[in-house]
Amino acid sequence: MTDEELVVEFALARLDHPGLDLDEIAAVVVRRAGPERQLDFASRNLAQRGELRGGSYETAVEYVLRTVLRLRDDAD
């Protein structure tokens, strides 16, 4: 999944759940993506942070949130 596709998924999840915080929206995206995509997100995040291990779900959620925030900040 590209960063642009991830942002679209995030935006759609946010439309479905307008009352949730951004980290909760990221968790929704990870749950919707499934286990294989969750591991992909987690491995990308760990590689970016230079770490070898971490909880896959939490790390995947962090990756989604960091990617969306980074792309949002780049647009400003």
Side-chain angles (χ1 to χ4, degrees), residues 8-70:
V8 170
E9 289 296 323
F10 190 90
L12 292 174
R14 194 164 187 194
L15 287 173
D16 290 343
H17 305 283
L20 296 181
D21 292 334
L22 295 180
D23 58 332
E24 294 169 321
I25 299 293
V28 169
V29 171
V30 170
R31 283 194 302 273
R32 285 183 180 176
E36 288 182 25
R37 195 64 44 95
Q38 176 181 323
L39 289 176
D40 179 47
F41 293 156
S43 65
R44 289 184 200 184
N45 195 28
L46 291 172
Q48 287 178 355
R49 293 184 352 202
E51 297 180 8
L52 296 177
R53 57 170 105 177
S56 66
Y57 179 76
E58 297 82 10
T59 306
V61 170
E62 180 183 331
Y63 174 78
V64 169
L65 186 57
R66 287 176 57 180
T67 301
V68 168
L69 292 176
R70 178 178 45 84

